[in-house]
Amino acid sequence: MSSIRVTVWNEFRHEKIDEKVRAVYPDGIHTAIASFLKGNFDVKTATLDEPEHGLTDEVLANTDVLIWWGHMAHGDVKDEIVDRVYARVMEGMGLIVLHSAHFSKIFRKLMGSTCNLKWREIGEKERIYVIEPGHPIAKGLPEYFEVPHAEMYGERFDIPAPDTQVFLSWFQGGELFRSGCCYHRGAGKVFYFRPGHETYKVFYQKEIQTVITNAVRWAAPVAGPTVTFGHRPEPIEDVTPYEDKSA
Ligand code: ZN
């Protein structure tokens, strides 16, 4: 088993109040995601209604990759916790943002844009194309795969251009969407992955599990240099300071 420490965060509200969602995810979306990751990583879960949303300084200090699912309660996430997660991403923690978490405070803060999109919920087919086949997140996938029943998300998706776009979705109704987007922010890596609507069995699908598993490995911190910023009065090389003697 890899030593990568994963925290799966879920707002865990739909499952408590909606029978239809509970039927699909009886123990919560976080538990479903944690279950398929457990064989490969050191996995814990955290939810919105825990103290500090389950994301204490200690939990985040011991998290290499944080997975985020939210939808109806983005506004209930305290800004102070968002700032804490943001600071950890800058330090190198990976962040995987799923589906409706495109509107989460943390994702919008990291993107600096509205993250708005078009949507429709009729359970149509989604075909996800791998458009960057050499990318680590594409490992083990076919050229394309299908989610039989999905909520449609359509362009324009108001995000900054991804550093790497791994997936592109086509929907039965005709729309397109940038479904797998990679970013570097500070020392951290961020991956947005589109599928994951709460009333469909998306997180039980093999290809979806493969993508999220690959994304954890990709987003995990690397032992890179510690970057410092600010004034450098002493040059690295010997340089004679310039003096204008013409005056
Ligand atoms: Zn949804």
Side-chain angles (χ1 to χ4, degrees):
M1 193 172 84
S2 149
S3 58
I4 298 172
R5 299 163 300 174
V6 181
T7 301
V8 183
W9 189 91
N10 177 18
E11 70 177 24
F12 196 28
R13 291 275 176 89
H14 286 282
E15 299 94 325
K16 290 176 183 165
I17 58 170
D18 188 338
E19 197 62 50
K20 215 176 145 193
V21 179
R22 195 159 48 231
V24 182
Y25 297 108
D27 302 312
I29 286 172
H30 54 298
T31 308
I33 295 171
S35 309
F36 68 77
L37 293 174
K38 266 179 182 154
N40 292 307
F41 310 110
D42 174 3
V43 186
K44 293 186 173 62
T45 62
T47 56
L48 178 62
D49 293 325
E50 292 170 38
E52 302 182 54
H53 309 328
L55 299 174
T56 60
D57 283 322
E58 199 194 338
V59 167
L60 287 176
N62 290 293
T63 299
D64 295 313
V65 179
L66 177 64
I67 297 178
W68 194 280
W69 195 99
H71 180 224
M72 61 184 288
H74 296 313
D76 291 356
V77 178
K78 293 193 194 103
D79 291 341
E80 159 198 346
I81 307 296
V82 175
D83 291 345
R84 193 183 284 173
V85 171
Y86 181 87
R88 276 289 292 136
V89 172
M90 293 303 117
E91 283 173 9
M93 182 183 75
L95 179 69
I96 298 172
V97 176
L98 297 171
H99 188 61
S100 41
H102 69 93
F103 262 161
S104 62
K105 286 182 179 177
I106 183 61
F107 189 59
R108 284 187 292 132
K109 184 178 172 81
L110 286 160
M111 295 298 104
S113 60
T114 69
C115 300
N116 215 339
L117 46 77
K118 297 181 178 67
W119 63 277
R120 170 174 63 239
E121 196 186 337
I122 56 167
E124 66 205 273
K125 181 166 73 182
E126 173 181 12
R127 186 176 296 142
I128 301 178
Y129 289 87
V130 176
I131 61 166
E132 203 59 77
H135 195 276
I137 297 178
K139 189 179 174 186
L141 293 172
E143 278 193 290
Y144 67 83
F145 61 95
E146 290 174 355
V147 176
H149 305 288
E151 177 187 18
M152 184 281 291
Y153 279 5
E155 296 282 346
R156 168 168 167 88
F157 184 19
D158 186 30
I159 48 169
D163 296 328
T164 310
Q165 193 189 327
V166 185
F167 303 117
L168 181 64
S169 284
W170 167 90
F171 291 88
Q172 210 171 353
E175 285 86 353
L176 299 173
F177 194 78
R178 288 169 289 170
S179 275
C181 306
C182 297
Y183 297 91
H184 288 261
R185 289 291 184 269
K189 281 167 275 181
V190 178
F191 179 60
Y192 174 79
F193 189 46
R194 195 216 76 82
H197 186 68
E198 66 274 7
T199 57
Y200 305 124
K201 295 175 182 168
V202 180
F203 292 118
Y204 300 111
Q205 189 174 333
K206 192 81 196 79
E207 294 94 337
I208 301 294
Q209 297 181 354
T210 298
V211 170
I212 295 172
T213 303
N214 289 345
V216 168
R217 291 202 175 94
W218 172 80
V222 296
T226 302
V227 179
T228 55
F229 297 99
H231 184 212
R232 288 294 183 279
E234 300 300 329
I236 294 169
E237 302 289 341
D238 209 5
V239 184
T240 306
Y242 169 72
E243 272 179 71
D244 186 352
K245 290 173 180 155
S246 64

